[in-house]
Amino acid sequence: MATPHSGLPNGASSAHRDTFAADRLPAPEAMPVLVFDGPDLQFEPRLNAVAALLDSAVARGWGARPCLRGQAQGHAVTWSYAEVQARANRVAHVLVQGLGLVPGNRVLLRGANSPMLAVCWLAVVKAGGIAVGTMPLLRARELQVIVDKAQISLALCDARLSEELAAARPGCPTLREVLHFNANANDTNESLGAHSLETLAAAAPDAFDTVDTAAEDIALIAFTSGTTGVPKAAMHTHRDMLAACACWPPQVLRAVADDVFIGSPPLAFTFGLGGLLLFPLAVGASTVLLERVAPDTLLQAITEHRATVCFTAPTSYRAMALMRAAEPSAATHDLSSLRKCVSAGEALPAATRTLWQQATGLTLIDGIGSTELFHIFISAREDDARGGATGYVVPGYTAAILDDEGRELPPGQVGRLAIRGPTGCKYLDDPRQASYVQNGWNLTGDAYLVDPVDGQFVYQARTDDMIVSGGYNIAGPEVESALLLHPAVAECGVIGQADEARGMIVKAFIVLKPGHPGDAAMAQALQDFVKQTIAPYKYPREIVFCAHLPRTETGKLQRFRLREIQT
Ligand code: 3UK
């Protein structure tokens, strides 16, 4: 066992006996500059995020308030704050006494969103472990990469997702123990039934001394959605998560204790972890954790739970709005409980904002965040929100638009978005740290400009997705936004395709709404429509009609896969 890691910048010694994460932090000169401005961003040197979010809620007298809602072992449940704390304490005992978890060990968490998955996350972090979430659809090979990269020894896995993890195990020499949860009580398989996590937890005490971690101990390793290549592992400390809770949620979202949160992003994605677990806990609200989150099931669940705050991706808002518009009567889905709807993950097209407004009367709160910065850093409150712009930098963060040499550009000019604040990118042992963090700034890989009139940040494209055609810079998302205004278009994705004469041409992949033929006349009509909507040179010279678009589990369009498609 390595000696405890000390000498952290604030002088607090680590609680981690397993120093794997601290040993693999970027070198000091490669670290992002951290800024803690204002009274809400002053943190004690010793801090456990779950003590601050859960134990303190119960201590404050919120024990009886509803906390987690959803399905557990086939039943609909609502667990109060006190119950969630007791359950997390029991699971923490199983981890420590039963499985030998030592602070600093990584624990793989695997499951669709559910109350028990959230309890597992809280238990790992309470016990001083490092939670490593995995997207439900990952296959054995991808799980192996994660287990190997994070040197994971323990796993808590939803029984219904046990197969891929079992298939991965021969290639995971570090993985010592796997426990399953959410099995049906009558399941005949021993490891799923009698030795399930729930059975072991039921026999454990319901009090647990939350490990007194240092504010800068790593609590979370979030793998990036990894559109290409080896996924990057972004590490976050206990303080990072509390800092995120202290910025965008109170400044922009402004949720209250009576809110009922709901949405689609997996807890393995920091958009989901913040929006569907940490932010509701921070205000004493409750959160509905859904296993199935297709647009129709999400609509139904909003109605059923009288949800008030929704988090999902732009495409999901668009699909829900179109479904709602097609409903014979407004009564099929009653969305009148909704108060706040947050869109993130990719750019929000103005047409989608309008559709949602028409369907619900609500103004979407757009926000750009990243796995590396943990959560949203540019966003706008409903009153400031306007089509086509992401919003203002969230108080606590600073943003700049930089040119290729790192010089700050004036408003109106397109450049690289650079962010500083109380959170920042810390990749686990990865040379790509040097491209995300430069001179202390976090470079998100997005091209943005600041509107010279209202000062809002306006998204252009991913920096490597800019289409340069005939000498013009064309941002694919702008062409997508224009196409989405056409009544026949359900979804679309725009990329640049190599072209001898122009360097690149704009190429659009289009999913039409039912009943519209994908023929030459339609292609012509769409090209004409774009020319009339935005600068004519941006029109798609090539159009491909398709049945669906390739997307990640978090709703992001996989442009690299569109580029791979040979037509
Ligand atoms: C893009 C957006 C325009 C942008 C995320 C909220 O998406 C999240 O994290 P990822 O690491 O991806 C980050 C990248 O996604 N993006 C996200 N939101 C927007 N582009 N407008 C937006 N509103 O390219 C960014 O660099 O998967 C989002 C909270 C937590 C997150 N992790």
Side-chain angles (χ1 to χ4, degrees):
M1 189 75 48
T3 48
H5 178 86
S6 60
L8 294 167
N10 60 14
S13 67
S14 171
H16 284 185
R17 283 168 53 204
D18 174 348
T19 60
F20 174 86
D23 296 343
R24 284 160 186 78
L25 281 167
E29 63 278 11
M31 284 288 225
V33 167
L34 296 181
V35 188
F36 299 95
D37 271 345
D40 296 339
L41 290 174
Q42 304 310 309
F43 295 100
E44 296 297 327
R46 301 207 76 81
L47 209 57
N48 181 303
V50 176
L53 294 171
L54 180 62
D55 297 340
S56 72
V58 176
R60 213 177 299 141
W62 290 351
R65 295 188 61 85
C67 180
L68 304 179
R69 303 166 187 258
Q71 297 279 320
Q73 295 181 301
H75 302 287
V77 298
T78 299
W79 292 338
S80 68
Y81 275 80
E83 264 180 283
V84 169
Q85 185 189 39
R87 283 174 193 274
N89 286 348
R90 291 173 185 276
V91 173
H93 273 290
V94 172
L95 287 167
V96 175
Q97 266 81 45
L99 304 183
L101 175 130
V102 161
N105 284 170
R106 279 74 56 214
V107 182
L108 182 135
L109 297 172
R110 180 153 182 71
N113 286 357
S114 73
M116 193 57 191
L117 179 67
V119 162
C120 290
W121 191 93
L122 295 164
V124 169
V125 176
K126 236 176 184 286
I130 299 177
V132 187
T134 57
M135 299 291 182
L137 290 180
L138 292 189
R139 310 301 298 235
R141 183 190 301 273
E142 296 154 310
L143 291 170
Q144 273 172 12
V145 171
I146 289 175
V147 170
D148 179 56
K149 174 106 193 181
Q151 295 283 290
I152 296 175
S153 51
L154 308 172
L156 304 178
C157 177
D158 190 301
R160 294 157 299 176
L161 292 182
S162 61
E163 262 177 48
E164 285 299 323
L165 189 55
R169 271 194 93 167
C172 298
T174 59
L175 187 54
R176 303 192 274 115
E177 302 273 1
V178 179
L179 286 180
H180 293 101
F181 58 91
N182 276 348
N184 283 324
N186 57 1
D187 211 307
T188 46
N189 184 329
E190 276 266 297
S191 82
L192 304 181
H195 291 112
S196 71
L197 177 58
E198 286 93 341
T199 310
L200 296 171
D206 64 6
F208 178 86
D209 284 333
T210 300
V211 172
D212 187 25
T213 40
E216 296 194 324
D217 279 337
I218 299 298
L220 175 76
I221 299 178
F223 279 83
T224 56
S225 18
T227 44
T228 44
V230 182
K232 291 169 270 192
M235 302 200 281
H236 292 290
T237 65
H238 289 266
R239 187 188 59 207
D240 290 334
M241 291 187 279
L242 295 176
C245 289
C247 291
W248 177 81
Q251 295 289 343
V252 179
L253 183 66
R254 295 166 297 157
V256 296
D258 285 334
D259 274 314
V260 179
F261 286 59
I262 202 164
S264 68
L267 296 182
F269 182 26
T270 62
F271 179 37
L273 180 65
L276 297 177
L277 185 60
L278 307 188
F279 301 165
L281 261 56
V283 294
S286 71
T287 180
V288 184
L289 295 169
L290 301 168
E291 292 171 5
R292 271 178 288 276
V293 286
D296 54 340
T297 44
L298 185 50
L299 274 179
Q300 204 179 321
I302 292 168
T303 304
E304 186 183 322
H305 294 275
R306 304 287 303 148
T308 61
V309 179
C310 181
F311 284 78
T312 189
T315 41
S316 167
Y317 283 114
R318 184 172 172 88
M320 288 195 289
L322 292 177
M323 255 172 217
R324 191 104 202 298
E327 280 173 12
S329 84
T332 318
H333 291 116
D334 176 7
L335 305 183
S336 62
S337 56
L338 281 178
R339 245 168 41 83
K340 309 249 170 198
C341 296
V342 180
S343 170
E346 58 180 359
L348 173 65
T352 301
R353 180 182 280 293
T354 306
L355 276 179
W356 190 249
Q357 181 108 39
Q358 286 163 352
T360 62
L362 294 169
T363 301
L364 282 172
I365 299 173
D366 187 9
I368 178 173
S370 74
T371 305
E372 288 83 353
L373 284 144
F374 190 74
H375 221 271
I376 293 173
F377 43 80
I378 293 176
S379 184
R381 294 179 177 193
E382 296 92 325
D383 291 347
D384 291 330
R386 70 165 172 87
T390 313
Y392 300 102
V393 65
V394 171
Y397 289 87
T398 311
I401 306 297
L402 306 180
D403 70 10
D404 288 343
E405 277 72 54
R407 287 178 300 237
E408 206 164 326
L409 288 167
Q413 292 197 29
V414 177
R416 302 183 298 161
L417 180 65
I419 303 288
R420 274 181 190 178
T423 62
C425 174
K426 301 179 284 294
Y427 287 137
L428 191 164
D429 190 17
D430 201 317
R432 291 169 288 186
Q433 177 76 15
S435 52
Y436 206 96
V437 176
Q438 294 176 14
N439 302 318
W441 288 101
N442 296 276
L443 290 163
T444 65
D446 298 294
Y448 258 85
L449 64 77
V450 173
D451 186 299
V453 177
D454 65 7
Q456 294 221 27
F457 284 78
V458 181
Y459 178 77
Q460 308 295 306
R462 293 283 307 167
T463 41
D464 43 15
D465 279 346
M466 272 292 196
I467 304 166
V468 186
S469 180
Y472 287 110
N473 268 325
I474 302 169
E478 191 191 357
V479 184
E480 289 163 13
S481 294
L483 284 163
L484 288 174
L485 291 168
H486 191 280
V489 176
E491 283 187 79
C492 66
V494 168
I495 57 162
Q497 175 172 279
D499 178 79
E500 244 175 69
R502 295 170 188 278
M504 271 185 188
I505 56 160
V506 177
K507 178 171 180 177
F509 291 81
I510 293 178
V511 181
L512 292 169
K513 289 184 192 164
H516 295 277
D519 54 19
M522 177 62 81
Q524 182 69 53
L526 293 172
Q527 288 172 326
D528 291 344
F529 181 80
V530 172
K531 286 185 198 168
Q532 283 153 24
T533 312
I534 52 179
Y537 66 83
K538 297 176 182 171
Y539 86 94
R541 285 174 193 267
E542 198 172 324
I543 286 187
V544 178
F545 295 106
C546 48
H548 57 86
L549 295 174
R551 290 193 181 275
T552 63
E553 244 185 294
T554 56
K556 276 192 225 297
L557 181 63
Q558 292 172 307
R559 291 197 169 74
F560 75 98
R561 286 185 52 195
L562 290 179
R563 283 190 207 104
E564 283 164 8
I565 296 174
Q566 298 296 321
T567 50

